[in-house]
Amino acid sequence: LSMAPLVPALVAVYYGENILPFIVTTVAMFGAGFVLEQLRDDRELGKREAFLMVSATWLIVPIFGAIPYLIAGQGTIAQPVNALFESMSGFTTTGSTVLAEISFEQHSHSILLWRQLTQWIGGMGIIVLMVAILSELSVAGAQIINEEAPGFSLEKLTPQIQETARALWKIYLGFTVAAALVYYALHFAGVAPNMGAYNAVAHALTTMPTGGFSPEARSVEAFAPIVQWAVMPFMIVAGTNFALLWYLFNGEPRQLTKNPEFRTYLLAVAAIGSLLSVLLVTGLGIAEIPTNIGQLSGDLENSLRQGLFQTIAIITTTGYASMDFNTWGESAQLVLLFAMFLGGSAGSAAGSVKIIRWYIVSRAMGRQLFTTIHPSAIRPIRLNDDTVNEETVRDIFVFIFTFVSIFVFSTVLIYLDALRIGLDISALEAISATIATLGNIGPGVGIVGPMDNFRPFSAPAKLYMVVLMWIGRLEIISVLVVFTPSFWQR
Amino acid sequence: LSMAPLVPALVAVYYGENILPFIVTTVAMFGAGFVLEQLRDDRELGKREAFLMVSATWLIVPIFGAIPYLIAGQGTIAQPVNALFESMSGFTTTGSTVLAEISFEQHSHSILLWRQLTQWIGGMGIIVLMVAILSELSVAGAQIINEEAPGFSLEKLTPQIQETARALWKIYLGFTVAAALVYYALHFAGVAPNMGAYNAVAHALTTMPTGGFSPEARSVEAFAPIVQWAVMPFMIVAGTNFALLWYLFNGEPRQLTKNPEFRTYLLAVAAIGSLLSVLLVTGLGIAEIPTNIGQLSGDLENSLRQGLFQTIAIITTTGYASMDFNTWGESAQLVLLFAMFLGGSAGSAAGSVKIIRWYIVSRAMGRQLFTTIHPSAIRPIRLNDDTVNEETVRDIFVFIFTFVSIFVFSTVLIYLDALRIGLDISALEAISATIATLGNIGPGVGIVGPMDNFRPFSAPAKLYMVVLMWIGRLEIISVLVVFTPSFWQR
Ligand SMILES: [K+]
Ligand SMILES: [K+]
């Protein structure tokens, strides 16, 4: 991990830019890693230690990751709070930005690549965490991943965890390379003029972790329609359970195609995508004519592309934008806002609540309507021919509850703080800023729209959002347990 | 029940007003009652029939209850949709109104008394329903009432249900008479000039059912401060579990005072009341100087009274107003909005989610933080030294989930419908209109503020709110089950 800053360092050499930020970061990370190694060496990794390590890692790494921004001293992220925000947004694959201006005039190629790279590293970390660690620790119903992929037989939470990690790593790296090649191939074929090698790699690095950072100020809107179509399947893959992808490459594709979460996920994309496309093509969902892209109303290909792209970008919590959806009407924006709560699949780098939890919850609600009239009926919830443990169901309810409670509470705080500093935001904007950070999505609507940024918020509000990104990324419960008194009792 | 319209008929005779509306209603209700009696006579009352009867009753009675408004033809409630809204709002003890002008010039004494009476009848019905029927049917975790009052040994859901009903009825009637006497005594003592016999009875009729209708346009603001103080304890009682009040009068007051729901309820009132009072007395929670009442900022008695009164009125879902809280700032209004989701105690006529459910949910969340680190620990949730059934816990989670889902969905619908008809409302106003009706509270903020009314909404929106009041009142699940396919299968 401490080698990571050397990648942008090489890029810096290539572009003749300053390599100091990355050298310092490498040294600092090496030092910290060495100290950590010493501390960890002679300890058994118990549940308690696992939680502490996970929570601490996702706090310490982003702090170190902010060093390049500080040393480079370019633009708005030269300020400490902004640097931390951008770094946390990267490592948590959120993609919310505080960059006032995204351009190579303002920022060096190497710094913008570091920004992309933080998401790629964070995404890999999250997938291993979800599939191999949180599912074994039974956090917030994450044990459902084990029930989803019962034969995914690699060892977990043991010294052999590295074997699982390696299997996931291969898939992740493979798709990243594939995405970069496809993006660049379009450039090579002459249909994507500005998707050069730098951009192809930079976007591949933030597609797979459902990150959403882009070195282009106008995100994926900057590229040709064909590029936007090409990004979509990769986002879909990125939002799929990696344990299921593993089956796909090990001769059992049926495990993927018959999986209820995967099917519900595709269904949600299709349903919401169609709804948005209809709203756009009929003009019902448009408030003002967008700049840069053609008229949507009446243009089927364009409407379908924008509707589908934004649906996928939001459900997978990638947060790319193929256009400025601030120009959409309130009905279409509310649909997007609703989609923000869905989240991709468990076992991917997608954030928010995640499809499988909503699936289980809706099953439990349907069951209650049945058992209310037939109280003696026993109706276990089934998943892949297996019965879902009732404790898992309960854990999932508690998780969504905690998620929603923190969301509501935070929305109010962020709203009041904005009023305090005289920042004129609507309730909808406060809602979207909160879910965009807590759900690790990236952009929201209005003031935090896809072509805007989170800079206008006060420093305390931004630090609070850093915390939201952090806890949201670790499924909340893993962080909260560390703060309970019983955690520290022997 | 069909005799009820005769009460305002007598009042109509006294004031020399038209008695026709009430005579027609009585005849219609008698007829309907006779038909129902015939249908019911030879049937065993199973679970299925109980749900159907409960749902149908709370739909049919409000429809008949709208007849007086239609026949009287006075003001805005002469229109059918408005009449139904007002009647449903009455029988569900919601207290949201569509009356554009509340005055004796516009409406007769007898019609306004009928409005009060609908709430009183509805409240009594709800208490019996909650304590004796829904708790036995295990609806939405209402079985918790049995666990709260385990020794409340009267027969339920049997022919002896009438005995339970009679016990509850005595308490309800007793407190109503007491409230009327206290209110009138203040008038008699000369400290409450406009709290005459009519007003004393009219307000007693809507205090105990946590109704909130008032024949005064400015609600309880119309009366002297001493009256406002006097109303508070009666609202507190109205929001208490009547099964626990029964203990109080049967030599076991400890059952009430040691009850966790009752204690949490008082704690919530004290905490939120203090917070609001501080916001008011410091001026932080005031946006504009209210008319009619003195300056709040700096006036401790006035601030404490308003803060406490509104807290109690909202938590108990009574919805009286001691002042126009539309003049409050956004921070204070958000506190009120938050309190709307709490609700009073189970086993009272209070609506919304109710304290005991939040209590159980918060216990379950705390437990999960514990069991995440200590997975082998068995930690049942306790209530009154008894263990709460895990199925009850799950039912409560599902209930709150359903409640919140319907709330969010309805807020969006109501918001979009308002935009459609060009009614300029904010997200906050849409939120408050939804929770005010679904939670059977009454007033919200802004356009649906305590001195305003729900008339500006479109007819479809008002009919939708009629449905919200109906399902909210019956704990949602009791209505939803009737609409499941499995309900109708033998
Ligand atoms: K993201
Ligand atoms: K009410």
Side-chain angles (χ1 to χ4, degrees):
Chain A
L1 180 62
S2 50
M3 292 298 187
L6 295 180
V7 177
L10 287 178
V11 174
V13 170
Y14 176 79
Y15 284 101
E17 296 167 350
N18 190 356
I19 63 163
L20 186 66
F22 309 106
I23 301 300
V24 172
T25 310
T26 302
V27 172
M29 280 187 167
F30 247 125
F34 185 74
V35 173
L36 264 170
E37 205 65 36
Q38 297 300 92
L39 285 173
R40 222 175 68 188
D41 218 26
D42 50 342
R43 283 210 198 161
E44 184 90 329
L45 193 68
K47 278 206 128 182
R48 219 183 284 257
E49 287 74 25
F51 281 118
L52 200 56
M53 209 188 72
V54 164
S55 296
T57 304
W58 253 272
L59 192 58
I60 293 167
V61 170
I63 289 173
F64 279 97
I67 295 176
Y69 302 139
L70 289 174
I71 296 185
Q74 299 158 352
T76 45
I77 48 169
Q79 293 153 2
V81 170
N82 287 345
L84 180 61
F85 184 99
E86 200 75 9
S87 181
M88 183 59 94
S89 175
F91 283 105
T92 56
T93 80
T94 302
S96 304
T97 186
V98 285
L99 286 184
E101 189 195 328
I102 303 177
S103 73
F104 295 119
E105 285 76 56
Q106 187 67 253
H107 299 276
S108 65
H109 285 78
S110 47
I111 281 292
L112 288 183
L113 189 70
W114 171 244
R115 190 162 161 266
Q116 303 296 102
L117 209 58
T118 57
Q119 294 205 319
W120 194 72
I121 298 166
M124 183 62 227
I126 280 302
I127 292 167
V128 172
L129 186 71
M130 280 293 291
V131 175
I133 304 181
L134 294 189
S135 64
E136 279 297 299
L137 291 176
S138 298
V139 170
Q143 57 266 43
I144 201 85
I145 298 175
N146 292 344
E147 307 195 31
E148 274 201 301
F152 186 64
S153 53
L154 294 167
E155 295 290 335
K156 294 170 184 176
L157 254 200
T158 63
Q160 279 76 43
I161 193 177
Q162 307 209 338
E163 204 177 312
T164 308
R166 205 168 299 127
L168 297 169
W169 158 259
K170 275 185 204 158
I171 301 172
Y172 188 71
L173 182 66
F175 274 108
T176 306
V177 171
L181 289 178
V182 169
Y183 299 164
Y184 187 69
L186 294 171
H187 175 72
F188 196 75
V191 291
N194 49 353
M195 186 51 102
Y198 180 91
N199 264 339
V201 171
H203 286 88
L205 287 178
T206 57
T207 307
M208 286 320 293
T210 71
F213 271 158
S214 169
E216 290 289 340
R218 307 227 18 119
S219 190
V220 182
E221 187 193 277
F223 304 105
I226 182 86
V227 174
Q228 294 169 13
W229 283 113
V231 171
M232 291 188 220
F234 284 106
M235 286 198 287
I236 297 259
V237 169
T240 305
N241 187 340
F242 272 62
L244 296 177
L245 291 177
W246 181 85
Y247 279 120
L248 186 67
F249 294 110
N250 283 274
E252 293 185 69
R254 283 267 304 144
Q255 289 284 352
L256 174 67
T257 50
K258 72 164 201 197
N259 183 272
E261 180 175 28
F262 186 66
R263 296 166 78 119
T264 312
Y265 167 50
L266 293 189
L267 192 72
V269 166
I272 298 177
S274 314
L275 176 59
L276 279 180
S277 301
V278 168
L279 285 175
L280 295 179
V281 79
T282 56
L284 286 174
I286 300 175
E288 46 177 304
I289 308 292
T291 49
N292 303 346
I293 66 164
Q295 171 84 36
L296 280 171
S297 162
D299 183 339
L300 189 61
E301 187 274 339
N302 205 353
S303 295
L304 191 64
R305 177 159 42 84
Q306 306 294 352
L308 214 52
F309 189 97
Q310 283 317 141
T311 301
I312 297 174
I314 292 299
I315 288 188
T316 62
T317 75
T318 305
Y320 280 147
S322 57
M323 69 172 291
D324 187 355
F325 47 74
N326 268 350
T327 61
W328 292 5
E330 259 180 332
S331 56
Q333 289 191 346
L334 282 172
V335 173
L336 269 197
L337 213 55
F338 166 78
M340 288 190 180
F341 286 86
L342 293 183
S345 309
S348 74
S352 202
V353 174
K354 296 184 190 70
I355 303 279
I356 186 70
R357 292 206 178 93
W358 292 118
Y359 177 83
I360 297 290
V361 157
S362 67
R363 282 309 192 78
M365 283 164 82
R367 174 175 65 178
Q368 176 148 342
L369 289 182
F370 185 83
T371 52
T372 300
I373 333 167
H374 306 279
S376 54
I378 307 282
R379 281 216 158 178
I381 292 170
R382 301 191 147 274
L383 190 71
N384 283 336
D385 315 324
D386 264 336
T387 294
V388 177
N389 193 323
E390 284 303 322
E391 274 173 32
T392 307
V393 176
R394 206 175 61 200
D395 285 0
I396 287 174
F397 267 106
V398 172
F399 170 79
I400 303 193
F401 237 84
T402 314
F403 188 93
V404 172
S405 308
I406 291 178
F407 160 72
V408 171
F409 180 75
S410 305
T411 300
V412 171
L413 276 192
I414 286 171
Y415 188 56
L416 292 180
D417 184 76
L419 291 182
R420 182 181 66 83
I421 63 164
L423 182 65
D424 185 31
I425 66 170
S426 69
L428 226 58
E429 288 173 314
I431 287 172
S432 80
T434 310
I435 185 66
T437 45
L438 182 65
N440 302 118
I441 295 161
V445 298
I447 189 175
V448 293
M451 309 306 173
D452 304 276
N453 62 72
F454 284 69
R455 202 175 45 84
F457 287 102
S458 74
K462 279 185 275 195
L463 286 176
Y464 185 77
M465 291 179 200
V466 165
V467 173
L468 288 185
M469 294 190 269
W470 176 51
I471 63 172
R473 186 68 283 181
L474 301 177
E475 309 281 315
I476 299 175
I477 309 287
S478 348
V479 180
L480 286 192
V481 289
V482 176
F483 292 97
T484 55
S486 66
F487 182 86
W488 298 98
Q489 283 156 17
R490 275 284 142 195
Chain B
L1 180 62
S2 51
M3 293 298 188
L6 295 181
V7 176
L10 287 178
V11 174
V13 171
Y14 175 79
Y15 284 100
E17 298 167 348
N18 190 356
I19 63 164
L20 187 65
F22 308 107
I23 300 300
V24 172
T25 310
T26 302
V27 172
M29 281 187 166
F30 246 124
F34 185 75
V35 172
L36 263 171
E37 204 67 37
Q38 298 299 93
L39 284 173
R40 221 177 67 188
D41 219 27
D42 50 342
R43 284 211 197 162
E44 184 90 330
L45 192 68
K47 277 206 128 183
R48 218 181 285 256
E49 287 74 24
F51 281 118
L52 199 56
M53 209 189 71
V54 164
S55 297
T57 304
W58 252 272
L59 191 59
I60 293 167
V61 170
I63 289 173
F64 279 97
I67 296 176
Y69 302 140
L70 289 173
I71 297 185
Q74 300 157 352
T76 46
I77 47 170
Q79 292 154 2
V81 170
N82 287 344
L84 179 61
F85 185 99
E86 200 75 9
S87 180
M88 184 58 94
S89 176
F91 282 104
T92 57
T93 81
T94 302
S96 303
T97 186
V98 283
L99 287 183
E101 190 195 329
I102 304 177
S103 71
F104 294 120
E105 283 78 55
Q106 186 68 251
H107 300 275
S108 65
H109 283 79
S110 46
I111 280 292
L112 287 183
L113 189 69
W114 171 243
R115 190 164 161 266
Q116 304 295 103
L117 208 58
T118 57
Q119 294 206 320
W120 194 71
I121 297 165
M124 182 62 226
I126 279 302
I127 292 168
V128 172
L129 186 70
M130 281 292 291
V131 175
I133 304 181
L134 294 190
S135 65
E136 280 296 300
L137 291 176
S138 298
V139 170
Q143 56 267 44
I144 201 83
I145 298 174
N146 291 345
E147 307 195 31
E148 275 202 299
F152 186 64
S153 53
L154 294 165
E155 295 289 337
K156 296 169 184 176
L157 256 199
T158 64
Q160 280 76 42
I161 195 176
Q162 307 210 339
E163 203 177 313
T164 309
R166 205 168 299 126
L168 296 170
W169 158 260
K170 275 185 204 160
I171 301 172
Y172 189 70
L173 184 66
F175 274 107
T176 306
V177 171
L181 289 179
V182 168
Y183 299 165
Y184 188 69
L186 293 172
H187 175 71
F188 197 74
V191 290
N194 49 354
M195 187 50 104
Y198 180 91
N199 263 338
V201 171
H203 285 88
L205 287 178
T206 57
T207 307
M208 286 320 292
T210 71
F213 272 157
S214 169
E216 290 289 340
R218 307 224 22 117
S219 190
V220 182
E221 187 192 278
F223 304 106
I226 183 86
V227 173
Q228 295 170 12
W229 282 112
V231 172
M232 291 188 219
F234 284 107
M235 287 198 287
I236 297 259
V237 168
T240 304
N241 187 339
F242 272 62
L244 295 177
L245 290 178
W246 181 86
Y247 280 121
L248 186 68
F249 294 110
N250 284 273
E252 293 185 69
R254 282 268 303 146
Q255 290 283 354
L256 175 67
T257 51
K258 73 164 198 195
N259 183 273
E261 181 174 29
F262 186 66
R263 296 166 78 118
T264 312
Y265 166 51
L266 293 188
L267 191 73
V269 166
I272 298 176
S274 314
L275 175 60
L276 280 181
S277 302
V278 168
L279 284 175
L280 295 179
V281 78
T282 57
L284 286 174
I286 301 176
E288 48 177 302
I289 309 292
T291 48
N292 302 347
I293 67 163
Q295 171 82 39
L296 279 171
S297 162
D299 183 339
L300 190 61
E301 189 274 338
N302 205 352
S303 295
L304 192 64
R305 176 159 42 84
Q306 306 294 352
L308 214 52
F309 189 98
Q310 283 319 140
T311 302
I312 298 173
I314 293 299
I315 288 188
T316 62
T317 74
T318 305
Y320 280 148
S322 58
M323 68 173 291
D324 187 354
F325 47 74
N326 268 351
T327 62
W328 291 6
E330 260 180 331
S331 55
Q333 289 190 346
L334 282 172
V335 172
L336 268 196
L337 213 55
F338 166 78
M340 288 189 181
F341 286 86
L342 293 182
S345 309
S348 74
S352 202
V353 173
K354 296 184 191 71
I355 304 278
I356 187 70
R357 291 204 179 94
W358 292 119
Y359 178 83
I360 298 289
V361 157
S362 68
R363 282 308 193 81
M365 284 165 81
R367 172 174 67 177
Q368 177 147 340
L369 288 183
F370 186 83
T371 53
T372 300
I373 332 168
H374 306 280
S376 54
I378 307 282
R379 281 216 159 178
I381 293 171
R382 303 191 146 273
L383 191 72
N384 282 337
D385 315 322
D386 264 336
T387 294
V388 177
N389 194 322
E390 284 303 321
E391 274 173 32
T392 307
V393 176
R394 208 176 58 200
D395 285 1
I396 287 174
F397 268 105
V398 173
F399 170 79
I400 302 193
F401 239 84
T402 314
F403 188 93
V404 172
S405 308
I406 291 178
F407 159 72
V408 171
F409 180 74
S410 306
T411 300
V412 170
L413 276 193
I414 288 171
Y415 188 55
L416 292 180
D417 184 77
L419 289 184
R420 182 181 66 83
I421 62 163
L423 181 64
D424 185 31
I425 66 170
S426 69
L428 226 59
E429 288 172 315
I431 287 172
S432 80
T434 310
I435 185 66
T437 46
L438 182 63
N440 301 118
I441 295 161
V445 299
I447 190 176
V448 294
M451 309 307 174
D452 304 277
N453 62 71
F454 283 69
R455 199 176 46 83
F457 286 103
S458 73
K462 279 185 274 195
L463 286 176
Y464 185 77
M465 291 180 200
V466 165
V467 173
L468 287 185
M469 292 191 268
W470 177 50
I471 64 172
R473 184 69 283 180
L474 301 178
E475 309 280 315
I476 299 174
I477 309 287
S478 349
V479 181
L480 286 192
V481 289
V482 176
F483 292 98
T484 56
S486 65
F487 182 87
W488 298 98
Q489 283 156 18
R490 274 284 140 195

